[in-house]
Amino acid sequence: MQEATSSPKIGAKSMGVADRSTPLLRNYWYVAAFSDEISRQPMRRTILEEDIVFYRTEDGKPVAVQNRCPHRSFPLHTGRVEGDRIVCGYHGMEFNPDGSCALVPALNTAPKAIRLDAYPLEEDGPLLWIWMGDPANPDYSRLIRQEWCTSPEWTHVKGYMYMKANYLGLHENLMDLTHFPFLHGKWNIARPEHAAAPSKIEEGEGFIRQREVHHDVGMPPALVEAVGMKAPFDREAQHMVQIPGMHQGRQITTDASDPPKADEQHIIHIMTPETQTSTHYMWAMARNNAVDDEELSEQIRVVGEGAFMEDKVALEDIEELVARDHRPNFREKIIKTDEGGIRVLRMFARLAAQEQEGMQEAIAAE
Amino acid sequence: MQEATSSPKIGAKSMGVADRSTPLLRNYWYVAAFSDEISRQPMRRTILEEDIVFYRTEDGKPVAVQNRCPHRSFPLHTGRVEGDRIVCGYHGMEFNPDGSCALVPALNTAPKAIRLDAYPLEEDGPLLWIWMGDPANPDYSRLIRQEWCTSPEWTHVKGYMYMKANYLGLHENLMDLTHFPFLHGKWNIARPEHAAAPSKIEEGEGFIRQREVHHDVGMPPALVEAVGMKAPFDREAQHMVQIPGMHQGRQITTDASDPPKADEQHIIHIMTPETQTSTHYMWAMARNNAVDDEELSEQIRVVGEGAFMEDKVALEDIEELVARDHRPNFREKIIKTDEGGIRVLRMFARLAAQEQEGMQEAIAAE
Amino acid sequence: MQEATSSPKIGAKSMGVADRSTPLLRNYWYVAAFSDEISRQPMRRTILEEDIVFYRTEDGKPVAVQNRCPHRSFPLHTGRVEGDRIVCGYHGMEFNPDGSCALVPALNTAPKAIRLDAYPLEEDGPLLWIWMGDPANPDYSRLIRQEWCTSPEWTHVKGYMYMKANYLGLHENLMDLTHFPFLHGKWNIARPEHAAAPSKIEEGEGFIRQREVHHDVGMPPALVEAVGMKAPFDREAQHMVQIPGMHQGRQITTDASDPPKADEQHIIHIMTPETQTSTHYMWAMARNNAVDDEELSEQIRVVGEGAFMEDKVALEDIEELVARDHRPNFREKIIKTDEGGIRVLRMFARLAAQEQEGMQEAIAAE
């Protein structure tokens, strides 16, 4: 039994902390989809409340244009792709990958005034990135390329989940692993005492990084065997947030061998906002040992999908409760293990304020 | 391959063009239902956001009164018809076809202060018209009677579809047949080159009329046989819009016989707004040859229902997209084939502004 | 056939009459649940728009605390009860029955600043009462205890129904039994002529009481037999409303024996608002004769559930119609049989205005 020896400092969320009403951040790259989701068949996905249609050209280049015919708002994804063009199913208007009109059948010409917003894309291995800011000025310095995406020395498993909740809760969730033994108890990946493991947090220009170590954790037996590791295991979790749509996790497990063996994994969480209260949640787990072991891959995939599904359900339960529970004076409390997550929310609140200011200046300058 | 030789003039929808936020027009006759939908069994239908109950008296006269008991807002359609009265299922209040109270059981009398709004009706063959303006002053000059409705020389097929979309999109759809080869491709009733067929548009006081000719079109084989026609066929489509709730189409097909034979059909589209974003869509196709050929009727019915269902689905897809896609600066573009539809939308915008002005004057005069 | 001999006075609902937009009354006891609904398994129920979790301690004492972890808004009912504490399923925070924190695992302590709103409860036989006003000052003088709840001389049957309608309509329904022959016709408990039976209404400080007598009514045959009664039967219905969440009905049936035999029943209607347009509707029917006759109990239960389900469906139909039917000038009419119900609605409107005033004064005084 514990006793309140000294009263820890408890805060409450306030203005400077982003929440579900904070405007979504636009001047960033988001992962729109996994590369293998995009084919010659048009696919619809709404990102930051913009309805977008994706497809590939004959050469396999990915295309993203507004999923709304400029003529009568018909959803283009219900039309068809012909050559490199997408053809509207209503009056047959055809559009090029750059959004320009290729043909208005009724006019037998292609007016410049009729065009789609086109979105800059960047394909990096399994990830298809989309730039949601000014299409004329994609900022490539904000694109996060990673070795595991393309290097043959790495392999990965991955998954997509539609989440009816704001994306910020997922950022908080991932910066605070003290939920492991409670929410993910059945996977045997942490014990209650791990909840009190301290975090080291670093904040620099454009990033927040966090680290914590859990001693004597569980490991998938197949992975232990593949790497030839010896219990007990310690796990260092590393977290990096640089952009609104990605949490880069790294997990380094060391064993009791002499000298110790180490296993490293990347655990990438992708949260691409659909609306203020719904998110495309994609994840990938990459490793650089036993890369050809498909049984191991499947074991990792099952644990990943199972645990991340628990996060998704928890965040959806919260979203539903917040809509239902009317307590005007309620503010969520902050404790010391929230520091990483709160820093992320503060960074996003600052960035959102800057973007809103920028938009107002742009309107004033017109 | 076409090239943009000269840039055609492209416009954008603006203030003067009615859209889904334009107040619904009240001082008009609308088709409330097909006559055979109304029986001694009360039927509920919401029109212009007013919940209405329909039934027939013992003499077969149609009745339309507000579907809301003046006492405790109980829906009368769940009650029962007794003689010519409708009886509320809650406290047993009885009402006459003119909306006056016939009995309050608890008072054992019929107070004048308790009454239902009653709606002027006009039954014209298969169509039951309802006047949605001031019930004391139905304007019969605005009622559109048609020969095919009642003449024994004509027969027709018809259908009802509930459409989760504003009614204006259907007006635009019907004034612009360039969508035929794309949206209705499988019915073989037009080819892509028909999209460029020019329209003749006439605008007069209280009507917009449009005409276009498509050469070498498809025809239902049974109709060809019934009339003894010879390919190729040309089709002249005529369109007339006089009131918010009806598009009167006429289709005259001529053949290659010498002298040419002609087939004439009326294609009547009825769009009765339920709310700003839902519509009772009824249609009828009437012909004056082979009127006893039931197989032919069925063939026409199947094509009509199939093609109009495609329109309905397209308009619902648009309605859903507009609710989902957030692009504050988006305005639908106008090209020359939209002229007829845009004139209709402008006419309705003018009429709605006049009605709103009239209402404000009426309120000011009180 | 009746004739309007003299015109009865008809009113219309106005400002002073509570309706679905009137703020819900907070400074009252409501029945949160039947006692047997609450167990060691956490149960969620939203009352007055506050999400609440209920469970029992090891000693069987009922607990009601806010169903929202103060840390990250996680719904506590998805967690678990351990000893007397409820444990959050997200980060494992533990709370005592009084809402205070028992443990934050990540801090290994129990900060005072982290706590749940706890609700005063009072268990009275089958009823679990909850105080929805200031938790520091529950007003026990407003709690309605009843003999039938706890006395061994009484037995009862009961039921719960979720009703998608505002609770006020149920108050009106119960104060005006003229709906019996129309809405509950199939149960043979009243005839059309009963609709005109006059009511006696008494209004005192904090209550409204009403009485009416119906001659020659129906009775469940098993009850007649159990009490040894002789037709014809007269029924006196008594109604008492003292608080927003309860209508206390009493039904005294007398027979044709010499001297007359009497059967008395309590019919308790509980309407606990969930939101402005949804209600937890609970009911109980208690009697003090043939208390061991389980067949009779079942017969009474079936009639009760059947008839009250008709009320529930009627009120839901009204709620749905009101949302659908747009008639800005419509006001519900009031006739003389509404007097009891209207007095109840006026009382609640006054009480709501007082509460709102009190809240504004409290805010001003801060």
Side-chain angles (χ1 to χ4, degrees):
Chain A
M1 252 302 294
Q2 70 302 322
E3 281 184 35
T5 45
S6 76
S7 183
K9 213 180 141 197
I10 310 292
K13 285 189 181 174
S14 62
M15 287 282 292
V17 178
D19 64 19
R20 59 181 54 71
S21 70
T22 303
L24 300 171
L25 289 154
R26 307 208 74 84
N27 297 313
Y28 291 91
W29 292 92
Y30 288 91
V31 176
F34 287 123
S35 291
D36 56 16
E37 291 185 277
I38 311 303
S39 70
R40 293 283 288 162
Q41 187 65 31
M43 183 193 81
R44 167 193 232 171
R45 184 157 288 169
T46 296
I47 298 176
L48 306 193
E49 297 182 332
E50 295 182 2
D51 199 2
I52 302 172
V53 57
F54 297 86
Y55 66 95
R56 287 192 189 274
T57 63
E58 289 185 314
D59 288 351
K61 252 192 74 178
V63 176
V65 289
Q66 85 185 37
N67 188 29
R68 180 176 188 170
C69 183
H71 176 232
R72 283 303 169 269
S73 291
F74 198 69
L76 296 172
H77 78 283
T78 65
R80 65 183 199 282
V81 168
E82 241 179 60
D84 288 355
R85 302 170 175 184
I86 189 150
V87 181
C88 181
Y90 197 180
H91 301 91
M93 294 193 184
E94 303 186 10
F95 299 92
N96 297 310
D98 67 356
S100 65
C101 185
L103 176 66
V104 173
L107 305 176
N108 201 24
T109 181
K112 281 194 185 147
I114 291 185
R115 54 176 302 121
L116 306 173
D117 288 343
Y119 296 81
L121 295 176
E122 191 71 21
E123 200 160 11
D124 188 39
L127 307 182
L128 179 64
W129 292 90
I130 189 168
W131 173 256
M132 294 300 295
D134 177 3
N137 294 299
D139 182 347
Y140 285 90
S141 75
R142 293 186 172 178
L143 187 63
I144 298 181
R145 292 181 196 278
Q146 287 151 95
E147 197 197 354
W148 68 264
C149 281
T150 45
S151 160
E153 283 167 40
W154 288 80
T155 190
H156 67 270
V157 293
K158 61 186 171 54
Y160 169 97
M161 293 186 276
Y162 181 75
M163 182 170 80
K164 285 182 82 70
N166 179 276
Y167 77 111
L168 294 170
L170 193 51
H171 275 296
E172 290 191 276
N173 172 289
L174 295 165
M175 292 300 268
D176 178 11
L177 301 192
T178 67
H179 73 276
F180 266 35
F182 305 101
L183 191 61
H184 306 308
K186 75 168 168 191
W187 302 101
N188 191 30
I189 49 180
R191 290 193 312 283
E193 59 267 32
H194 291 143
S199 291
K200 280 185 197 166
I201 302 173
E202 239 185 303
E203 185 165 354
E205 203 164 321
F207 75 89
I208 287 156
R209 191 185 291 137
Q210 179 179 306
R211 236 177 282 199
E212 60 268 338
V213 175
H214 289 173
H215 293 288
D216 194 9
V217 297
M219 278 279 281
L223 186 58
V224 171
E225 197 186 318
V227 190
M229 294 177 87
K230 207 168 123 187
F233 309 109
D234 291 347
R235 180 181 60 218
E236 181 182 340
Q238 298 185 4
H239 312 267
M240 170 75 111
V241 177
Q242 297 167 275
I243 54 170
M246 182 175 272
H247 173 106
Q248 302 174 74
R250 244 169 98 193
Q251 181 175 296
I252 298 152
T253 313
T254 47
D255 76 345
S257 308
D258 184 15
K261 285 185 177 157
D263 171 66
E264 184 181 344
Q265 292 197 36
H266 287 277
I267 307 180
I268 305 299
H269 299 270
I270 294 157
M271 52 291 277
T272 302
E274 181 188 54
T275 68
Q276 299 281 155
T277 54
S278 58
T279 302
H280 304 287
Y281 176 16
M282 293 165 264
W283 58 268
M285 295 175 81
R287 69 182 193 279
N288 61 0
N289 52 52
V291 298
D292 297 325
D293 187 337
E294 290 186 12
E295 202 178 313
L296 175 59
S297 289
E298 180 57 13
Q299 190 181 355
I300 293 172
R301 200 194 59 74
V302 165
V303 174
E305 186 171 270
F308 305 147
M309 178 62 80
E310 289 166 343
D311 293 313
K312 164 196 141 86
V313 169
L315 294 167
E316 290 180 338
D317 283 352
I318 290 171
E319 196 75 49
E320 190 263 334
L321 179 142
V322 168
R324 163 205 287 249
D325 185 51
H326 184 65
R327 298 180 191 270
N329 299 319
F330 179 89
R331 295 287 172 276
E332 290 183 359
K333 290 289 191 296
I334 300 175
I335 62 173
K336 75 172 185 204
T337 45
D338 295 322
E339 192 185 337
I342 290 297
R343 284 188 185 225
V344 168
L345 299 191
R346 286 218 179 95
M347 177 168 79
F348 292 164
R350 275 196 312 272
L351 295 170
Q354 283 165 20
E355 281 201 358
Q356 296 302 309
E357 222 172 282
M359 282 181 203
Q360 278 164 13
E361 278 167 23
I363 290 167
E366 267 172 24
Chain B
M1 252 299 296
Q2 69 302 324
E3 281 185 35
T5 46
S6 76
S7 183
K9 213 179 142 197
I10 310 291
K13 285 189 182 174
S14 61
M15 289 281 292
V17 177
D19 64 18
R20 59 180 55 71
S21 70
T22 303
L24 299 171
L25 289 154
R26 306 208 73 85
N27 297 313
Y28 291 91
W29 292 92
Y30 288 92
V31 175
F34 287 122
S35 290
D36 56 16
E37 291 184 278
I38 310 304
S39 69
R40 294 283 287 162
Q41 186 67 31
M43 183 193 81
R44 167 192 231 170
R45 183 157 289 170
T46 296
I47 298 176
L48 306 194
E49 297 182 332
E50 296 183 1
D51 199 2
I52 301 172
V53 57
F54 297 86
Y55 66 94
R56 287 192 188 274
T57 63
E58 289 185 314
D59 289 349
K61 253 191 74 177
V63 176
V65 289
Q66 84 186 37
N67 188 29
R68 181 176 187 169
C69 183
H71 176 232
R72 283 301 171 271
S73 293
F74 198 68
L76 296 173
H77 79 282
T78 66
R80 65 181 201 284
V81 168
E82 240 179 59
D84 289 355
R85 302 170 176 184
I86 188 150
V87 181
C88 181
Y90 198 0
H91 300 91
M93 293 194 184
E94 303 186 9
F95 298 93
N96 297 310
D98 67 357
S100 65
C101 185
L103 176 65
V104 174
L107 304 177
N108 200 26
T109 181
K112 281 193 184 150
I114 291 186
R115 53 176 303 121
L116 306 173
D117 289 343
Y119 296 80
L121 296 176
E122 191 71 20
E123 200 160 9
D124 189 39
L127 306 182
L128 180 64
W129 292 90
I130 188 168
W131 172 256
M132 294 300 294
D134 177 3
N137 294 300
D139 182 346
Y140 285 90
S141 74
R142 293 187 171 178
L143 188 63
I144 298 180
R145 293 181 195 278
Q146 289 152 92
E147 196 195 356
W148 67 266
C149 280
T150 45
S151 160
E153 284 166 39
W154 287 80
T155 189
H156 67 271
V157 293
K158 60 188 172 55
Y160 169 95
M161 292 186 276
Y162 181 75
M163 181 170 80
K164 285 182 81 71
N166 179 276
Y167 77 111
L168 295 169
L170 193 52
H171 275 296
E172 290 191 277
N173 172 289
L174 295 165
M175 292 302 268
D176 178 10
L177 301 192
T178 67
H179 73 276
F180 265 35
F182 305 101
L183 190 60
H184 306 308
K186 74 168 168 189
W187 302 102
N188 191 29
I189 49 179
R191 289 193 312 282
E193 59 267 34
H194 292 143
S199 291
K200 281 185 196 166
I201 301 173
E202 238 185 301
E203 185 166 353
E205 203 163 322
F207 75 89
I208 287 155
R209 191 185 291 137
Q210 178 178 306
R211 237 177 281 199
E212 59 269 338
V213 175
H214 290 173
H215 292 288
D216 193 9
V217 297
M219 279 278 282
L223 186 59
V224 171
E225 197 184 318
V227 189
M229 294 177 87
K230 207 168 122 187
F233 309 108
D234 290 347
R235 179 181 59 218
E236 179 182 340
Q238 298 185 4
H239 312 268
M240 170 74 112
V241 177
Q242 297 168 274
I243 55 170
M246 182 176 272
H247 173 105
Q248 301 174 74
R250 245 168 96 193
Q251 183 175 295
I252 298 152
T253 314
T254 46
D255 76 346
S257 308
D258 185 13
K261 285 185 178 157
D263 172 66
E264 183 181 345
Q265 293 195 36
H266 287 278
I267 306 180
I268 305 300
H269 299 269
I270 294 158
M271 52 291 276
T272 302
E274 181 188 53
T275 68
Q276 299 282 154
T277 53
S278 59
T279 302
H280 304 287
Y281 177 15
M282 294 165 264
W283 57 269
M285 296 175 80
R287 68 181 193 278
N288 62 0
N289 52 51
V291 297
D292 297 324
D293 187 337
E294 289 186 14
E295 202 179 313
L296 175 59
S297 289
E298 179 58 12
Q299 191 181 355
I300 292 172
R301 201 194 58 74
V302 166
V303 175
E305 186 170 88
F308 305 146
M309 179 61 79
E310 288 167 342
D311 293 313
K312 164 196 140 85
V313 169
L315 294 167
E316 290 181 338
D317 283 352
I318 289 171
E319 197 74 49
E320 190 262 335
L321 179 141
V322 167
R324 164 206 286 249
D325 184 51
H326 184 65
R327 299 182 190 269
N329 299 320
F330 179 89
R331 296 286 173 278
E332 290 183 359
K333 290 290 192 293
I334 300 174
I335 62 174
K336 75 171 188 208
T337 45
D338 295 322
E339 193 185 334
I342 290 298
R343 283 188 185 226
V344 169
L345 299 190
R346 287 218 179 96
M347 178 167 77
F348 292 163
R350 274 196 313 272
L351 295 170
Q354 283 165 20
E355 281 201 358
Q356 295 302 308
E357 223 172 283
M359 283 181 202
Q360 279 164 12
E361 278 168 22
I363 291 167
E366 268 173 23
Chain C
M1 252 300 293
Q2 70 302 324
E3 282 184 34
T5 45
S6 75
S7 183
K9 212 178 143 196
I10 310 291
K13 285 189 181 174
S14 62
M15 287 282 291
V17 177
D19 65 18
R20 58 181 55 71
S21 71
T22 302
L24 300 171
L25 289 154
R26 306 207 74 84
N27 296 314
Y28 291 91
W29 293 92
Y30 289 91
V31 176
F34 287 123
S35 289
D36 56 16
E37 292 185 277
I38 310 303
S39 69
R40 293 283 288 162
Q41 187 66 32
M43 183 194 81
R44 168 192 231 170
R45 184 157 288 168
T46 296
I47 298 177
L48 307 194
E49 297 182 333
E50 296 183 2
D51 200 3
I52 301 172
V53 57
F54 297 85
Y55 66 94
R56 288 192 188 274
T57 62
E58 290 185 314
D59 288 350
K61 253 192 72 177
V63 177
V65 289
Q66 85 186 38
N67 188 28
R68 180 175 187 169
C69 184
H71 176 232
R72 284 300 170 270
S73 293
F74 197 69
L76 296 172
H77 78 283
T78 66
R80 65 183 198 284
V81 168
E82 239 179 60
D84 289 354
R85 302 170 175 182
I86 188 150
V87 182
C88 180
Y90 197 1
H91 300 91
M93 292 194 185
E94 304 186 8
F95 299 93
N96 297 311
D98 67 357
S100 65
C101 184
L103 176 65
V104 174
L107 304 176
N108 200 25
T109 182
K112 280 192 185 151
I114 290 185
R115 54 175 302 122
L116 306 173
D117 288 342
Y119 296 81
L121 295 176
E122 191 71 21
E123 199 160 10
D124 189 39
L127 307 182
L128 180 63
W129 292 90
I130 189 169
W131 171 256
M132 294 300 294
D134 177 3
N137 294 299
D139 182 347
Y140 285 90
S141 74
R142 293 187 171 177
L143 188 61
I144 297 181
R145 292 180 194 279
Q146 287 152 93
E147 197 196 356
W148 68 265
C149 280
T150 46
S151 161
E153 284 166 40
W154 287 80
T155 190
H156 67 269
V157 293
K158 60 188 172 53
Y160 170 96
M161 293 187 276
Y162 182 75
M163 182 170 80
K164 286 182 81 71
N166 179 276
Y167 78 110
L168 295 170
L170 193 51
H171 275 297
E172 290 191 277
N173 173 289
L174 294 165
M175 291 301 268
D176 178 11
L177 301 192
T178 67
H179 73 275
F180 266 34
F182 304 101
L183 190 60
H184 307 308
K186 75 168 167 190
W187 302 102
N188 190 31
I189 48 179
R191 290 193 312 281
E193 59 268 32
H194 291 142
S199 292
K200 281 186 195 164
I201 302 173
E202 238 184 302
E203 186 164 354
E205 202 162 321
F207 74 90
I208 286 155
R209 191 185 290 137
Q210 178 178 306
R211 238 177 281 197
E212 60 268 338
V213 175
H214 289 172
H215 293 289
D216 193 10
V217 298
M219 278 278 282
L223 186 58
V224 171
E225 197 184 318
V227 189
M229 295 177 87
K230 208 169 123 186
F233 309 108
D234 290 347
R235 180 180 60 218
E236 179 182 342
Q238 299 185 5
H239 312 268
M240 170 74 110
V241 177
Q242 297 168 274
I243 54 170
M246 182 176 271
H247 173 106
Q248 301 174 75
R250 244 168 98 192
Q251 182 175 297
I252 299 152
T253 312
T254 46
D255 76 345
S257 307
D258 184 13
K261 284 183 179 161
D263 172 66
E264 183 180 346
Q265 291 196 38
H266 287 278
I267 306 180
I268 305 299
H269 299 270
I270 294 157
M271 52 290 276
T272 302
E274 182 188 54
T275 69
Q276 300 280 155
T277 53
S278 59
T279 302
H280 304 288
Y281 177 16
M282 293 165 264
W283 58 268
M285 295 175 82
R287 68 182 193 280
N288 60 0
N289 52 52
V291 298
D292 297 324
D293 187 337
E294 290 186 12
E295 202 179 312
L296 175 58
S297 289
E298 180 57 14
Q299 190 182 355
I300 293 172
R301 201 194 58 73
V302 165
V303 175
E305 187 171 270
F308 304 147
M309 178 62 79
E310 288 167 344
D311 293 313
K312 165 196 139 84
V313 169
L315 295 167
E316 291 181 337
D317 283 352
I318 289 171
E319 196 74 48
E320 191 262 334
L321 180 142
V322 167
R324 162 206 287 250
D325 185 52
H326 185 65
R327 300 181 190 270
N329 300 319
F330 179 88
R331 296 286 173 276
E332 289 183 359
K333 290 291 192 293
I334 300 174
I335 62 173
K336 74 171 186 206
T337 45
D338 295 322
E339 193 185 336
I342 290 298
R343 283 187 184 227
V344 169
L345 299 190
R346 287 217 178 97
M347 178 168 77
F348 292 163
R350 275 195 312 271
L351 296 171
Q354 283 165 20
E355 282 201 358
Q356 296 303 308
E357 222 171 283
M359 281 181 204
Q360 279 164 12
E361 278 166 22
I363 291 167
E366 266 172 23

